[in-house]
Amino acid sequence: MPVTLVRPSPDLLTLHRASVNALEAAGAVIADHRHIRNGYRPHASDQRAEALAPGEHTSLTELALVERTQGSRRRVVARIPLA
């Protein structure tokens, strides 16, 4: 799925770290650590008819937790409202 990279603000990085820490504290096993903590690259999934343009500003309304299974299949396992 195509994505648009998002500039990592301090608040967004704090949210990412807190989410990873909470998942691990709850017993989640993160098998692939390449995309968390220092490897995290904030992004927005491009939708069918829309994508963020370079320099465009937006507000995030939810955090989606995505499970990646063998074969690189992904599924959203939770959506957490941010407002």
Side-chain angles (χ1 to χ4, degrees), residues 15-50:
L15 175 62
H16 167 73
R17 283 190 300 271
S19 299
V20 170
N21 292 341
L23 287 166
E24 290 179 332
V29 176
I30 302 172
D32 184 351
H33 285 226
R34 293 178 296 167
H35 304 295
I36 62 171
R37 296 190 175 89
N38 291 336
Y40 176 59
R41 295 174 52 202
H43 62 277
S45 298
D46 296 345
Q47 301 302 312
R48 291 183 185 122
E50 299 181 42

Side-chain angles (χ1 to χ4, degrees), residues 5-80:
L5 294 179
V6 176
R7 183 176 300 140
S9 71
D11 288 342
L12 187 56
L13 295 175
T14 297
L15 175 62
H16 167 73
R17 283 190 300 271
S19 299
V20 170
N21 292 341
L23 287 166
E24 290 179 332
V29 176
I30 302 172
D32 184 351
H33 285 226
R34 293 178 296 167
H35 304 295
I36 62 171
R37 296 190 175 89
N38 291 336
Y40 176 59
R41 295 174 52 202
H43 62 277
S45 298
D46 296 345
Q47 301 302 312
R48 291 183 185 122
E50 299 181 42
L52 292 173
E56 182 177 359
H57 290 85
T58 189
S59 295
L60 301 177
T61 58
E62 71 179 11
L63 170 70
L65 297 178
V66 178
E67 176 184 44
R68 188 172 68 198
T69 60
Q70 290 184 358
S72 294
R73 296 188 63 126
R74 292 171 174 84
R75 74 178 179 105
V76 175
V77 294
R79 294 181 185 273
I80 302 163

